[in-house]
Amino acid sequence: MANAVPVADFLVLPPRLDRTAEMLAESARRRGMAVEHLSSPVVPARLQHSAGGHLYGGPTFAAAVAPDLDLVPLEPADDWLPQLPYEYTHRDIALTTLGEARWSRTPMFVKPPRDKTLPAGVYVDGSRLPGDERYPADTPVLVSEIVTFLVEYRLFVLDGMVHAASRYAVNGRLDPAPLDACAHRAAVLDFAAGLLDACADSLPSAVVVDVGLASNADRGDEHWAVVEANMAWFSTSYAANPDQVLDVVLRAAGPRHRLTLRDQAFTRPPTPFPGTGRSGSSPMS
């Protein structure tokens, strides 16, 4: 079957829309982009192999539609967080497997590196981790010592600089606010500047980094630290400017022919998409 005639840049959205997707759609339309809200994770023939596709949605959706759209979602490496210098994490973090973590007999915080396949949280020991067939022993997880984040911020990073930002939590509870309205604005940007200056080459050109003011009860101190890194095309914008967020999303999941040499390291080999015989460029959720 012949390839369809390429169309102008467009944004593809999944069947279920959250508020971020709705705001990104509005922003895309304001700048003259078409918005394609799919009713299922199947790309219409008229869009297949088009030259200007972008997406916002979860990993399962991305795995289903990215091949037919010939676009490449960028994602940080699983080991990015544990590889950071201690001055940016202020806690011990290890990338391991769920099977290994189940042997631990000490309290720990456990989360998946990127996909939200496993409930992230504090576990009193490894025996409390999920053990059913949904979570095989080789599932990658990040295991860290327990710290409390007093306030947390989401940074949408583009080309090594903060392009959009928002507070999203206070004392572990959702509390979004624009960064410019926050008392910690200067401290957040100062910490982010140092982090990105030292570590930008280890991240995609478009990515989300969460940071926060952490407290360690055992040490009795407070410090700015990285919470985690996430895919921009699968991150809630909270109170960040949607036009600026869209800039990052479009770069983070865009046409393969625009992929730069530096970003090639932040793509994954295609993986089978269940039940289709096709491949996707992102892992399943």
Side-chain angles (χ1 to χ4, degrees):
M1 176 176 168
N3 289 350
V5 176
V7 297
D9 279 16
F10 57 95
L11 178 65
V12 172
L13 300 176
R16 296 183 61 182
L17 301 184
D18 59 14
R19 181 55 183 152
T20 296
E22 292 171 348
M23 290 191 297
L24 292 178
E26 294 169 3
S27 179
R29 292 187 181 104
R30 283 196 297 270
R31 64 178 70 180
M33 293 180 65
V35 175
E36 301 286 347
H37 179 199
L38 302 189
S39 59
S40 69
V42 177
V43 178
R46 62 185 173 81
L47 296 178
Q48 291 184 14
H49 309 294
S50 299
H54 305 262
L55 71 81
Y56 177 83
T60 300
F61 178 72
V65 304
D68 284 341
L69 290 170
D70 199 26
L71 62 79
V72 183
L74 304 178
E75 44 192 310
D78 284 352
D79 64 351
W80 181 76
L81 190 60
Q83 291 293 328
L84 283 179
Y86 188 83
E87 65 186 286
Y88 297 119
T89 62
H90 288 276
R91 62 197 187 279
D92 293 326
I93 308 169
L95 174 64
T96 184
T97 65
L98 192 56
E100 288 295 325
R102 287 176 180 141
W103 287 98
S104 175
R105 293 299 174 260
T106 60
M108 56 188 170
F109 179 81
V110 181
K111 69 175 293 293
R114 288 157 296 158
D115 300 335
K116 312 304 180 184
T117 52
L118 175 77
V122 173
Y123 295 86
V124 295
D125 61 50
S127 68
R128 304 300 180 90
L129 287 164
D132 59 53
E133 65 277 0
R134 294 175 298 165
Y135 308 108
D138 61 354
T139 301
V141 293
L142 293 173
V143 176
S144 73
E145 62 179 301
I146 301 168
V147 299
T148 299
F149 281 98
L150 306 177
V151 59
E152 297 165 78
Y153 293 85
R154 172 149 294 174
L155 314 177
F156 286 82
V157 176
L158 187 64
D159 292 326
M161 299 182 65
V162 176
H163 195 69
S166 166
R167 186 183 73 201
Y168 65 90
V170 176
N171 294 321
R173 305 184 71 171
L174 192 64
D175 189 8
L179 179 63
D180 287 345
C182 297
H184 291 117
R185 178 184 182 277
V188 169
L189 293 177
D190 183 63
F191 177 76
L195 168 72
L196 295 173
D197 183 61
C199 307
D201 288 345
S202 63
L203 287 169
S205 67
V207 70
V208 161
V209 177
D210 294 342
V211 303
L213 183 61
S215 173
N216 189 307
D218 294 335
R219 300 169 191 163
D221 60 357
E222 296 179 0
H223 39 259
W224 289 96
V226 176
V227 179
E228 61 182 351
N230 286 298
M231 302 90 83
W233 47 270
F234 182 40
S235 293
T236 302
S237 61
Y238 297 113
N241 182 299
D243 293 326
Q244 295 171 324
V245 170
L246 181 62
D247 292 335
V248 183
V249 170
L250 295 180
R251 175 82 66 81
R256 183 178 301 277
H257 72 273
R258 297 180 194 167
L259 182 67
T260 63
L261 183 62
R262 79 168 300 281
D263 277 333
Q264 288 180 5
F266 304 103
T267 65
R268 283 194 176 190
T271 53
F273 185 69
T276 66
R278 297 186 289 115
S279 293
S281 58
S282 296
M284 305 303 109
S285 66

